[in-house]
Amino acid sequence: MVAVDRGRYTVIVDTQEITAMRARELGRKSVVVGDDVRLVGDISGQPGSLARIVRVEERRSVLTRTADDDDSTAEGRLERVVVANADQLVIVSALADPPPRTGFIDRCLVAAYAADIEPLLCLTKADLAGASELLDYYAELEVPHILLSPDADLEPLRDRLSDLVSVFVGHSGVGKSTLVNRLIPTAGRAVGVVSAIGKGRHTSTSAVALPLPFGRDSWIVDTPGVRSFGLAHVSADDVLHGFPDLVEGSTQCPPNCEHLADDCKLDAWVAAGHADVRRLESFRRLLTSRDQTST
Ligand SMILES: Nc1nc2c(ncn2[C@@H]2O[C@H](COP(=O)(O)OP(=O)(O)O)[C@@H](O)[C@H]2O)c(=O)[nH]1
Ligand SMILES: [Mg+2]
């Protein structure tokens, strides 16, 4: 399933677009972009035809965020699947205009590791600023990165995207649409336009999967409405997995350490020079702002 708009789902079957609705028998089960689904009914794909989705296959991965909309309940916010079956989270960040925000990148890394999908840092506008400062901050992590500028060779990125389903996330203005258009010349994403969906309140159904014209079954999922990942559903331990450079220091902490109180051993460990203090600060900021949806 590649897109949903007001209850109408677009499903690709052998390169043909078929419009479908959910069958009643699915009950409350959600159908999200990336899902493999089973169809019945009119699957001709002719104008006006409507098939029915009767089954959602088991998901290989689920990229989730905590919902920030009206569905939130008193017991806690709803955990929402953003994209199913993704292999890779491509974090698009500009090196300047707008400047990179490590808090956002760190949050995305936590979401990727929590979903057990691979992160890839895509650093745009390399023609405007160098990457060494940002890369230095992530030096201890083995996160692959790609540098992009208007005349950059896209081949290294194509290699990274081939045969995979990759979800693109990034703040407005970082060059995400420009990049999608370069990868898929027929995509026609509006450049220099702030997404109306991204600015609005209803941000849960805006992901769309676009087939890449290379590799085998390669897709990118654009997420104009996902400004960031609320991480209220992620445990302190899973947040720590987004900071592998701090994990070793945490082994000296008391049992069930929340890493926020005075008895946390990470301060001493960082003071001894084992990790960058900015990483510890970012880790703690995420721990205390886990339920917020933007950084
Ligand atoms: N200098 C420079 N400008 C870029 C680059 N990529 C995109 N832009 C510009 O940045 C602005 C925002 O790009 P857009 O693709 O709409 O960003 P989006 O909001 O992330 O989709 C546009 O004016 C682009 O022309 C780049 O690599 N270098
Ligand atoms: Mg855009």
Side-chain angles (χ1 to χ4, degrees):
M1 200 277 283
V2 298
V4 55
D5 183 27
R6 282 162 286 175
R8 289 290 182 267
Y9 298 82
T10 305
V11 180
I12 305 280
V13 180
D14 298 331
T15 74
Q16 193 181 22
E17 282 192 5
I18 291 170
T19 303
M21 57 183 278
R22 331 157 27 95
R24 214 171 284 261
E25 62 220 66
L26 281 178
R28 291 179 58 88
K29 184 155 186 49
S30 68
V31 185
V32 302
V33 168
D35 266 327
D36 290 326
V37 298
R38 195 162 296 176
L39 297 177
V40 299
D42 186 349
I43 56 164
S44 66
Q46 295 300 311
S49 68
L50 191 60
R52 278 179 300 131
I53 299 172
V54 291
R55 191 187 148 116
V56 178
E57 303 295 348
E58 200 179 322
R59 293 167 178 161
R60 296 191 309 278
S61 73
V62 286
L63 186 64
T64 53
R65 68 184 178 95
T66 312
D68 57 350
D69 58 17
D70 301 338
D71 291 345
S72 308
T73 61
E75 297 90 67
R77 296 167 180 217
L78 272 186
E79 185 181 331
R80 238 174 223 276
V81 177
V82 183
V83 181
N85 299 318
D87 301 297
Q88 181 165 252
L89 183 66
V90 179
I91 306 160
V92 186
S93 171
L95 289 163
D97 187 29
R101 285 158 72 174
T102 51
F104 172 76
I105 297 172
D106 289 343
R107 182 178 284 265
C108 292
L109 289 173
V110 170
Y113 292 127
D116 207 13
I117 69 178
E118 297 299 321
L120 171 67
L121 256 183
C122 222
L123 304 176
T124 60
K125 310 200 187 186
D127 52 315
L128 301 182
S132 56
E133 200 182 322
L134 187 68
L135 292 177
D136 189 49
Y137 176 83
Y138 291 108
E140 298 297 315
L141 280 68
E142 279 158 21
V143 184
H145 73 271
I146 301 257
L147 290 183
L148 291 165
S149 54
D151 51 6
D153 176 15
L154 283 189
E155 214 43 45
L157 179 59
R158 287 199 192 96
D159 281 347
R160 287 266 174 199
L161 301 177
S162 271
D163 310 336
L164 300 176
V165 176
S166 303
V167 180
F168 278 46
V169 289
H171 280 133
S172 182
V174 298
K176 206 151 56 86
S177 298
T178 302
L179 190 52
V180 171
N181 288 340
R182 284 185 72 192
L183 291 165
I184 311 174
T186 56
R189 309 303 276 175
V191 167
V193 175
V194 177
S195 159
I197 307 162
K199 282 196 115 180
R201 290 178 302 117
H202 300 288
T203 58
S204 53
T205 55
S206 50
V208 56
L210 306 163
L212 286 164
F214 52 83
R216 214 167 32 82
D217 215 10
S218 321
W219 296 81
I220 56 184
V221 180
D222 196 5
T223 58
V226 178
R227 281 161 297 177
S228 193
F229 294 96
L231 299 172
H233 59 287
V234 176
S235 69
D237 256 5
D238 275 343
V239 176
L240 186 60
H241 286 144
F243 295 80
D245 45 332
L246 301 178
V247 167
E248 195 189 326
S250 74
T251 58
Q252 301 170 15
C253 287
N256 304 317
C257 183
E258 292 285 332
H259 307 299
L260 294 170
D262 286 346
D263 58 349
C264 174
K265 299 294 183 213
L266 282 171
D267 299 271
W269 195 74
V270 165
H274 295 297
D276 189 329
V277 68
R278 294 173 304 168
R279 297 282 300 155
L280 180 55
E281 286 165 3
S282 180
F283 171 54
R284 292 208 167 122
R285 256 197 313 276
L286 272 191
L287 278 178
T288 52
S289 69
R290 235 178 300 174
D291 57 342
Q292 287 161 27
T293 48
S294 56
T295 309

